[in-house]
Amino acid sequence: MLSKLTFATLALAGAASAAVSNGGLKILAPGGDGLWWIAAQQNNVVWTCGESTFPQFTILINNSDTSLLTAITPLIAVEQNYNCNQGIASNLITQPVGTGYTIVLADILNSTNIYAVSDPFEIKALSAGYPPTSNTPVDQASATVSKGTSSNVVGQTGSPTGAGSGSPPAKTGGAPSLRSSSITAGALVGVAAAVAALL
């Protein structure tokens, strides 16, 4: 059973509000006016791995506008904090162009236990191009986060493409291993029920 506080947190995850963070975990990108995603393309999530006390978490996307996204949607079932960033493959970016999206980092066993929520961001058309890499904040407590292109992608290989001058930020120091994303049916049902109760 979800608490009223959890419902409020999930609702805020899609609203225009300041980023939520716990245990030193904060989402650096995407979020805000200068850090958007490109529809149906590879995009990155970057977080403060150097300050976080959480060893792993689930990555989800949310939007309070149900005409854009009907339910909070899992993207990565289990993400290791030490990765500092994760590329999300284009086949997982199926959300339509629009504003008010947020990334939610949650407990892998109980996705209603939310660790961090990004600032709201926009998913733009391919013609917008990626945001400039200089827009991405750097995690000062970790030397592993830098700006540049990414090969750390779940679900596909290759670099992101886009019309803009920027590209998603990347982790330095060796090529990361690629993995596929899998979410259990039970987890999806639980998240869907939680969102349905909000409506």
Side-chain angles (χ1 to χ4, degrees), residues 34-175:
L35 292 167
W36 59 86
W37 272 7
I38 301 296
Q41 298 297 308
Q42 174 189 323
N43 292 279
N44 274 16
V45 177
V46 182
W47 59 88
T48 54
C49 61
E51 294 104 345
S52 175
T53 59
F54 302 110
Q56 55 190 202
F57 43 80
T58 294
I59 301 177
L60 307 103
I61 188 168
N62 194 25
N63 197 320
S64 61
D65 184 347
T66 57
S67 69
L68 294 174
L69 190 64
T70 57
I72 189 168
T73 304
L75 296 174
I76 307 296
V78 179
E79 179 60 48
Q80 302 301 322
N81 176 60
Y82 61 75
N83 286 335
C84 306
N85 79 78
Q86 181 60 63
I88 310 296
S90 59
N91 64 324
L92 298 175
I93 310 296
T94 58
Q95 300 75 27
V97 168
T99 60
Y101 289 99
T102 55
I103 295 297
V104 179
L105 305 182
D107 187 317
I108 63 170
L109 299 176
N110 179 2
S111 61
T112 64
N113 184 11
I114 295 172
Y115 298 154
V117 178
S118 73
D119 286 323
F121 66 95
E122 183 175 359
I123 294 180
K124 296 186 178 189
L126 178 61
S127 59
Y130 287 101
T133 56
S134 59
N135 288 7
T136 303
V138 175
D139 180 4
Q140 298 300 326
S142 174
T144 60
V145 177
S146 69
K147 299 170 186 139
T149 59
S150 173
S151 60
N152 189 19
V153 181
V154 171
Q156 75 180 31
T157 59
S159 304
T161 58
S165 60
S167 58
K171 184 179 85 168
T172 60

Side-chain angles (χ1 to χ4, degrees), residues 8-24:
T9 304
L10 285 170
L12 286 174
S17 63
V20 173
S21 65
N22 293 310

